Amino acid sequence: MASESARACSAAEAAFRVPYANARRRRIALVALDAGAAGLAARLAEQGFPRAVSLPAEASGGAWLEALLAPAREVSGLLAEADHLFLLASAEGDAAMAGAVADAARERGVPVSAFLVAPAAADDGTLARPLSRLRQVAKMLVVARDEADVAAVLTALRA
Amino acid sequence: MLRREQNELLTRTGPGTPMGRLFRAYWIPALLAEELPEPGCPPVRVKLLSERLLAIRTLEDEYGLIDEFCAHRGVSLWFGRHEEGGIRCPYHGWKYDVTGQCTEVPSEPEENGFCRRIKLTNYPLVKIGDVLWTYMGPPEEQPPLPEWEFCRVPPEQTFTSKRLQECNWLQAMEGGIDSSHVSWLHRGALNKDPLFKGAKGNQYNLNDAKPVFEVVDAPGGLFIGARRNAENGNYYWRITPWVMPSFTQIAPRGDHTVHGHFWIPIDDENCWAWSYDFHPTRAIRPEERQAMKEGHGIHVTYVPGTYRPAANKDNDYLIDREAQRRGETMSGVAGIAMQDASLQESMGPIVDRTKENLVSTDNGIIMARHRLLRAAKALAEKGVLPPGRDPEHQRVRSAALVLPPDASFKDAAADALRVREGVRHATV
């Protein structure tokens, strides 16, 4: 029988592939690490992607604890449910919180990927800091010149 | 995951399709030069982008690629006879020159000029390196001739083969930009294949089956970097360029030749997997060339008289379950090329991407698809010519190198990632 040999890769035999769903819906958490990334996250949410938690770019000054507390709780809640974490960063920031968020993800067994979205004009010096920090924590890092890449990847991963 | 309409758009390359229009914006490999070995040699039937064509080399040593079928009553000109100035259909004697122009219709009076009104579709056919290249797009948009390094080095430094792959071009090409499968599927070959073994980089590969990936834009497409741990906190990087629409170059290993591929649609359910090996600074050694001819590395052996692999779906790819059990091969299929092809063909003629479950290591594939979709739409809807046509976009190299942990591979390896004539490639 054709279906019992490698010849079963025909179009006709493809019609007999098991039609049932082969995966449950994946839950992807998005965390924006700076103001530029927060803007991107807001635009993604308008397109129907999961709402991101936006962290303050830096945790300093007198009210740093208050500034961090609420988003930190949100991140914790997200990670409790998430199958995968995407960090969003832009050339505007230095991804200072990347390590802390990734540590929390790792403790919960959530794999981490990252997007650094930077315009083509962004020079290497500007990107060096966030790139270095994201590289230390992300299993997969995309340096994108076009934020449409982020939507394309999230769509492809069924976010 | 792709939506059904996106999958259709990317995989259909016949005349009038957006992706077909995109492929027709480039010079693409059509035949090996060895297929038309001398002036007046037998013509060759060629199907490309779902068009049936005939490649000819005239008695005057001109190459041509024309509609396979006589304009009279549609017989195949493959049966044609070479004569001075062109090829003659044996049925009623209609004669065509290398441009497809009919130059003689014996049954019609010469003075009525009937033959001048008959012209077959034709495309340019140009020999560069071991390859005959064609351009199937609008003549006014024809780009400069290809500048890929593998076909521009001296003949003794290069070797090219092709093999029939019985599935859509896209799933074949996606295998070429998916570096994460190498540590699994080709694990057994890294230390045994004569064209791969012995490189220090192989140990980095085998010691770390979970590379970290970075994908960055390149003028003609993407650079896909796979990072593994090396000594002293440094990283071993393997960097693969992908240039639109379907060129890849595998990161090198030691002083071995550099390998790479083109995937060219024959029709929507078959493609040519073109495989090249070259060395930028030295001749390919006789034993290396022999190994390539014997199907090692990324090449295959054939069903005699064809470019169909000897291991194919009709013989279950000569699967060897004992070798699989012993761990010599992961899939039981021998040879790097057929390990890839067998699995990619098993996906079906056009894989249903609505059902796939990609993971983050597939980001190179995702971004390549995104660029192809974007370029195909821009060309179809706005006439924007796509990246990868500029010879500068083609003058790229793969690289394997060890870099400090905080270095951006694209910047730190900038010199290594472009062609420098007479300079060896960056390799570990």
Side-chain angles (χ1 to χ4, degrees), chain B residues 222-289:
Chain B
L222 297 169
F223 285 120
I224 300 160
R227 188 186 89 198
R228 292 175 170 85
N229 292 322
E231 301 85 358
N232 304 320
N234 293 324
Y235 293 136
Y236 168 65
W237 285 94
R238 295 183 58 75
I239 306 166
T240 300
W242 168 72
V243 182
M244 288 182 61
S246 62
F247 169 90
T248 61
Q249 190 168 105
I250 301 163
R253 295 182 186 280
D255 191 43
H256 289 303
T257 49
V258 186
H259 334 272
H261 298 285
F262 258 107
W263 285 272
I264 302 298
I266 296 171
D267 53 33
D268 293 341
E269 298 187 356
N270 296 277
C271 66
W272 288 120
W274 287 82
S275 302
Y276 61 83
D277 263 271
F278 78 103
H279 198 290
T281 56
R282 68 162 171 83
I284 295 177
R285 299 181 186 107
E287 64 274 19
E288 290 175 324
R289 194 171 291 275

Side-chain angles (χ1 to χ4, degrees), chain A residues 89 110 113:
Chain A
V110 178
S113 295

Side-chain angles (χ1 to χ4, degrees), chain A residues 6-7 9 11 17-18 22-23 26 113 124 135 138-143 145-146 149 153 156-158, chain B residues 1 210 212-215 217 227 314 316 345-347 349 354-358 360 363 370-371 374 407:
Chain A
R7 284 192 292 268
C9 57
R17 290 193 170 214
V18 176
N22 59 13
R26 205 174 331 193
S113 295
D124 299 338
R135 183 174 287 147
K139 188 72 183 157
M140 175 78 210
L141 173 61
V142 174
V143 183
R145 300 301 187 196
D146 180 352
D149 282 332
V153 170
L157 296 178
R158 300 176 187 271
Chain B
M1 185 271 288
K210 290 187 175 176
V212 176
F213 289 92
E214 284 189 28
V215 185
D217 280 307
R227 188 186 89 198
D314 289 330
D316 274 334
E345 290 181 1
S346 78
M347 298 158 97
T354 66
K355 295 186 74 173
E356 67 188 4
N357 290 283
L358 299 183
S360 62
N363 274 4
H370 180 54
R371 274 151 184 72
R374 191 170 58 190

Side-chain angles (χ1 to χ4, degrees), chain A residues 71-157:
Chain A
R73 282 203 186 103
E74 276 193 85
V75 170
S76 180
L78 267 186
L79 291 177
E81 302 286 321
D83 298 309
H84 200 108
L85 168 67
F86 267 87
L87 299 173
L88 304 177
S90 79
E92 289 180 30
D94 61 4
M97 299 298 291
V101 178
D103 282 346
R106 201 170 299 115
E107 278 180 17
R108 293 161 174 81
V110 178
V112 180
S113 295
F115 266 105
L116 175 57
V117 181
D123 62 65
D124 299 338
T126 310
L127 298 184
R129 201 69 183 279
L131 198 56
S132 168
R133 285 180 164 147
L134 293 173
R135 183 174 287 147
Q136 288 170 30
V137 300
K139 188 72 183 157
M140 175 78 210
L141 173 61
V142 174
V143 183
R145 300 301 187 196
D146 180 352
E147 65 181 50
D149 282 332
V150 183
V153 170
L154 294 176
T155 301
L157 296 178

Side-chain angles (χ1 to χ4, degrees), chain B residues 36-344:
Chain B
L36 292 176
E38 58 195 11
C41 60
V44 178
R45 287 171 285 212
V46 181
K47 184 156 70 166
L48 285 176
L49 309 181
S50 300
E51 293 186 40
R52 287 189 56 178
L53 305 165
L54 191 75
I56 56 176
R57 185 172 176 182
T58 66
L59 294 171
E60 293 78 20
D61 203 12
E62 292 178 303
Y63 291 101
L65 190 60
I66 61 174
D67 182 347
E68 182 188 336
F69 301 100
C70 180
H72 180 205
R73 290 179 55 206
V75 306
S76 173
L77 291 169
W78 180 77
F79 295 97
R81 177 174 186 270
H82 278 294
E83 294 184 7
E84 189 178 327
I87 190 165
R88 191 182 293 279
C89 177
Y91 206 8
H92 302 92
W94 291 32
K95 186 177 169 186
Y96 300 92
D97 70 13
V98 76
T99 71
Q101 177 64 54
C102 183
T103 57
E104 215 180 308
V105 176
S107 62
E108 294 296 303
E110 195 175 333
E111 56 275 17
N112 79 358
F114 176 75
C115 70
R116 288 196 295 277
R117 293 198 292 274
I118 305 292
K119 187 175 186 307
L120 300 175
T121 294
N122 86 298
Y123 302 115
L125 192 63
V126 177
K127 180 179 181 300
I128 303 174
D130 294 337
V131 179
L132 297 175
W133 302 80
T134 191
Y135 167 75
M136 295 169 65
E140 66 276 12
E141 292 174 1
Q142 182 174 311
L145 289 171
E147 280 287 336
W148 308 104
E149 188 177 20
F150 79 91
C151 63
R152 290 293 186 180
V153 295
E156 64 274 16
Q157 292 176 214
T158 189
F159 177 89
T160 306
S161 71
K162 71 173 191 180
R163 63 176 161 78
L164 174 67
Q165 183 152 342
E166 297 175 65
C167 67
N168 183 261
W169 77 278
L170 185 61
Q171 64 211 56
M173 187 199 77
E174 288 176 349
I177 50 180
D178 159 26
S179 305
S180 67
H181 80 279
V182 175
S183 300
W184 290 101
L185 182 61
H186 305 315
R187 189 173 186 83
L190 289 182
N191 280 337
K192 278 193 301 200
D193 189 286
L195 299 170
F196 282 71
K197 69 181 182 183
K200 183 179 179 188
N202 294 351
Q203 289 316 307
Y204 296 129
N205 262 87
L206 294 171
N207 291 343
D208 185 356
K210 290 187 175 176
V212 176
F213 289 92
E214 284 189 28
V215 185
V216 299
D217 280 307
L222 297 169
F223 285 120
I224 300 160
R227 188 186 89 198
R228 292 175 170 85
N229 292 322
E231 301 85 358
N232 304 320
N234 293 324
Y235 293 136
Y236 168 65
W237 285 94
R238 295 183 58 75
I239 306 166
T240 300
W242 168 72
V243 182
M244 288 182 61
S246 62
F247 169 90
T248 61
Q249 190 168 105
I250 301 163
R253 295 182 186 280
D255 191 43
H256 289 303
T257 49
V258 186
H259 334 272
H261 298 285
F262 258 107
W263 285 272
I264 302 298
I266 296 171
D267 53 33
D268 293 341
E269 298 187 356
N270 296 277
C271 66
W272 288 120
W274 287 82
S275 302
Y276 61 83
D277 263 271
F278 78 103
H279 198 290
T281 56
R282 68 162 171 83
I284 295 177
R285 299 181 186 107
E287 64 274 19
E288 290 175 324
R289 194 171 291 275
Q290 188 60 31
M292 293 166 197
K293 289 178 179 171
E294 290 172 356
H296 293 290
I298 59 171
H299 306 280
V300 298
T301 55
Y302 300 108
V303 174
T306 75
Y307 290 101
R308 191 185 194 209
N312 56 60
K313 65 181 180 182
D314 289 330
N315 53 30
D316 274 334
Y317 305 96
L318 305 172
I319 195 165
D320 180 347
R321 293 291 186 190
E322 278 304 302
Q324 184 183 36
R325 191 182 57 77
R326 290 192 299 270
E328 293 168 15
T329 58
M330 281 300 287
S331 68
V333 175
I336 290 166
M338 291 318 300
Q339 287 166 358
D340 284 327
S342 55
L343 299 191
Q344 291 158 4

